[in-house]
């Protein structure tokens, strides 16, 4: 797909529902009693993989686009699937489902696409095995395909070496089937959607700083869920609005959960003209409209506790830093290497191809802003966030930018290019 530099972006956009919250709605609804109604569900390929997996385990799920109805069968009501469960490209599906499958009374196998087959699953195999679960990497490489044999689980206190909501959530979900109190501590707080939503479903779960604690459950109960707009999708319009001169974009109804909103803090520190309007709250998930206006940005250091709160936004933050004055240092972000692609390597390669001054480091990158970017032919590596990042960078790059494999945005934001184009056109007609 080809992209060209553009004038100011203007207008309003409503980004699709949050991916993390949509996944969890289907998963928790499936193991709850009664019907769970999910509104503003993200119809991206990742969340559809979660629906397909639970349907295969006998859960009736009605997908009416905006609204999804999950007719749960209770905590012990899943059925042994006929074939292999396929997580597609979705790490959240793969890791969280293992927590649930560990506590069932059947065995099954789990696989995914080429990218998922390379992503580390040992990080959940280790704690789940400590709980007594039986998970076997069939190629003995710590990745899917995995064979999971459900069994009786023991509760543990697990100190996770990584700040990962997927690891934390897998252990907490297994903890629902445990024989006592299960605890997970992580180096920094990761996104807390599991804790917030499980509480609504009736689980006894609480958090103390970086520790999450859960008790075994008798039953969970179906809920009504209103999914906020995904801040990880909004991030592309935040960045575009800030860097393209003369832009003004209002992004409606975005989830601004403090464990996810690091991008807002970073943009503010870089000098962004960004305001929150119509702040609201539903089931513990805060939302707001975000108004961004093009701004003169300056480089900053990004590292430590803020990293898990903006981990998926780092590619577009790196692109934004190319248009900021001075140096931006991203550190403590080695997790980027094990996402849908090695996002440090891919970002550095693609930004360099566009003429940016960027250096790869062990756990991040250093970007010296101010060098003009030019178009190039770029590999998305089938990574949705990389494709969207470079569609944004192309707005300010001289000449033609071609993104290979651009259709991978279907994973989290099927209508992304249309929305971006509309904001470009709206500016033209204003
Ligand atoms: C997610 C957690 C994060 C994030 C991913 C979604 C989740 O992964 O990058 O896109 O829904 O729990 P990690 O837990 O590996 O950090």
């Amino acid at each position: 797909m080809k992209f060209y530099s553009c004038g100011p972006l203007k207008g309003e956009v409503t980004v699709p529902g949050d991916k993390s919250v949509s996944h969890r709605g289907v998963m928790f609804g499936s193991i709850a009693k009664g019907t769970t109604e999910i509104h503003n569900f993200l119809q991206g390929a990742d969340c559809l993989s979660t629906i397909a997996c639970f349907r295969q385990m006998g859960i009736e799920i009605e997908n009416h686009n905006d609204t999804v109805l999950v007719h749960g069968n209770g905590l012990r009501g899943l059925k042994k699937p006929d074939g292999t469960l396929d997580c597609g490209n979705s790490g959240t599906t793969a890791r969280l489902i293992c927590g649930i499958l560990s506590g069932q009374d059947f065995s099954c196998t789990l696989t995914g696409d080429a990218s998922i087959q390379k992503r580390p699953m040992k990080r959940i195999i280790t704690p789940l095995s400590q709980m007594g679960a039986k998970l076997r990497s069939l190629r003995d490489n710590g990745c899917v395909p995995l064979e999971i044999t459900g069994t009786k689980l023991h509760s543990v206190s697990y100190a996770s070496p990584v700040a990962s909501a997927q690891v934390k959530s897998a252990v907490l979900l297994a903890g629902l089937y445990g024989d006592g109190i299960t605890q997970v501590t992580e180096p920094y707080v990761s996104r807390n959607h599991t804790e917030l939503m499980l509480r609504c479903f009736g689980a006894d779960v609480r958090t103390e700083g970086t520790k999450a604690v859960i008790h075994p459950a008798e039953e969970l109960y179906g809920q009504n869920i209103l999914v906020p707009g995904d801040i990880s999708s909004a991030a592309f319009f935040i960045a575009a609005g800030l860097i393209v001169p003369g832009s003004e974009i209002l992004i409606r109804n975005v989830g601004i959960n403090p464990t996810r909103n690091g991008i807002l803090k970073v943009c503010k520190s870089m000098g962004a003209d960004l305001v929150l309007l119509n702040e609201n709250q539903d089931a513990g998930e805060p939302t707001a409209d975000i108004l961004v206006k093009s701004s003169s940005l300056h480089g900053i250091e990004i590292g430590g506790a803020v990293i898990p709160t903006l981990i998926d936004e780092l590619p577009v933050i790196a692109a934004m830093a190319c248009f900021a004055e001075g140096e931006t240092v991203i550190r403590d972000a080695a997790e980027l290497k094990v996402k849908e692609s090695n996002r440090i390597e891919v970002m550095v390669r693609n930004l360099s191809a566009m003429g940016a001054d960027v250096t790869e480091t062990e756990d991040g990158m250093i970007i010296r802003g101010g060098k003009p970017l030019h178009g190039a032919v770029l590999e998305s590596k089938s990574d949705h966030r990389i494709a969207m990042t470079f569609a944004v960078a192309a707005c300010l790059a001289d000449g033609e930018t071609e993104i290979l494999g651009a259709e991978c945005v279907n994973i989290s934001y099927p209508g992304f290019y249309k929305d971006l184009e509309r904001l470009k056109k709206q500016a033209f007609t204003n």
Side-chain angles (χ1 to χ4, degrees):
M1 200 163 170
K2 292 179 179 167
F3 299 85
Y4 303 90
S5 65
C6 63
L9 302 173
K10 287 201 170 170
E12 288 187 22
V13 62
T14 304
V15 294
D18 187 272
K19 182 154 77 69
S20 295
V21 175
S22 297
H23 278 302
R24 285 160 173 80
V26 172
M27 291 185 186
F28 305 169
S30 295
I31 56 168
K33 260 199 161 152
T35 298
T36 288
E37 233 180 272
I38 312 171
H39 299 278
N40 198 32
F41 182 83
L42 168 62
Q43 297 287 338
D46 269 10
C47 299
L48 297 179
S49 294
T50 294
I51 288 185
C53 286
F54 282 91
R55 278 183 175 154
Q56 241 181 296
M57 291 190 282
I59 304 300
E60 192 197 330
I61 302 174
E62 295 176 58
N63 188 350
H64 305 291
N65 267 317
D66 179 67
T67 304
V68 168
L69 301 178
V70 184
H71 301 288
N73 265 348
L75 211 51
R76 291 167 208 285
L78 297 177
K79 296 197 176 70
K80 181 178 168 66
D82 271 345
T84 299
L85 296 173
D86 187 352
C87 304
N89 191 246
S90 173
T92 306
T93 312
R95 300 210 177 94
L96 268 61
I97 213 169
C98 285
I100 295 173
L101 292 173
S102 294
Q104 305 305 312
D105 58 4
F106 55 79
S107 66
C108 62
T109 49
L110 184 72
T111 194
D113 71 5
S115 153
I116 273 289
Q117 289 183 31
K118 285 195 233 140
R119 295 183 66 187
M121 293 295 282
K122 233 176 139 183
R123 52 180 57 198
I124 55 118
I125 296 175
T126 301
L128 294 176
S129 301
Q130 284 175 18
M131 298 178 81
K134 295 179 190 126
L135 293 99
R136 193 163 67 89
S137 165
L138 295 177
R139 292 191 193 127
D140 216 12
N141 60 356
C143 302
V144 300
L146 284 185
E147 181 188 71
I148 302 137
T149 307
T151 185
K152 281 205 157 38
L153 299 176
H154 316 296
S155 294
V156 290
S157 290
Y158 183 65
S160 173
V162 283
S164 158
Q166 293 178 357
V167 172
K168 174 175 64 177
S169 302
V171 177
L172 292 177
L173 287 166
L176 289 171
Y177 300 90
D179 57 2
I181 297 170
T182 296
Q183 302 191 0
V184 195
T185 309
E186 43 186 359
Y188 297 117
V189 181
S190 66
R191 65 190 67 191
N192 65 357
H193 306 299
T194 294
E195 298 89 307
L196 291 175
M197 200 189 285
L198 276 180
R199 250 178 102 85
C200 293
F201 275 79
D204 183 351
V205 55
R206 63 190 157 81
T207 50
E208 296 160 15
T210 55
K211 184 161 75 176
V213 183
I214 197 161
H215 292 247
E218 283 297 320
E219 273 308 346
L220 301 179
Y221 299 95
Q223 297 297 310
N224 270 354
I225 296 163
L226 179 56
V227 181
D230 198 328
I231 193 167
S232 300
S233 297
F236 301 103
F237 298 115
I238 294 174
L242 292 176
I243 62 176
V244 179
S247 298
E248 181 168 338
I249 307 177
L250 181 64
I251 314 160
R252 292 259 185 221
N253 184 39
V254 182
I256 53 162
N257 179 318
T259 63
R260 291 285 297 284
N261 69 7
I263 185 168
L264 304 181
K265 293 180 187 146
V266 158
C267 288
K268 284 266 186 197
S269 309
M270 292 177 86
D273 182 350
L274 178 158
V275 282
L276 300 183
L277 305 165
N278 296 321
E279 290 193 50
N280 224 317
Q281 174 119 353
D282 188 76
E285 295 284 359
T287 57
D289 297 341
I290 302 175
L291 179 65
V292 281
K293 293 185 190 163
S294 59
S295 309
S296 315
L297 303 177
H298 53 81
I300 58 161
E301 294 223 355
I302 308 169
V306 79
I307 292 291
T309 72
L310 47 64
I311 189 73
D312 293 339
E313 291 68 76
L314 282 170
V316 81
I317 289 172
M320 196 166 70
C322 295
F323 302 96
E325 200 188 304
E327 195 172 86
T328 294
V329 180
I330 298 173
R331 57 180 160 77
D332 305 321
E335 276 295 297
L336 288 179
K337 296 180 185 173
V338 290
K339 294 296 178 188
E340 285 83 331
S341 68
N342 178 338
R343 287 182 176 162
I344 296 181
E345 191 185 284
V346 179
M347 282 307 300
V348 170
R349 185 175 330 124
N350 284 349
L351 286 177
S352 303
M354 296 181 90
D357 184 353
V358 51
T359 311
E360 181 170 345
T361 63
E362 265 297 288
D363 61 353
M365 62 194 102
I366 301 169
I367 303 122
R368 284 159 293 267
K371 272 189 84 181
L373 299 195
H374 54 75
V377 179
L378 307 170
E379 298 258 13
S380 68
K381 293 282 171 190
S382 303
D383 183 334
H384 53 133
R385 305 219 190 270
I386 297 294
M388 290 187 271
T389 291
F390 286 96
V392 169
C395 291
L396 280 182
D398 234 22
E400 182 179 279
T401 300
E402 184 173 0
I403 301 175
L404 304 175
E407 69 285 350
C408 61
V409 302
N410 283 339
I411 292 293
S412 63
Y413 196 162
F416 175 71
Y417 299 119
K418 258 197 210 144
D419 284 348
L420 184 62
E421 277 312 301
R422 196 173 42 77
L423 292 173
K424 290 180 186 174
K425 289 211 182 88
Q426 217 147 314
F428 188 69
T429 52
N430 271 347

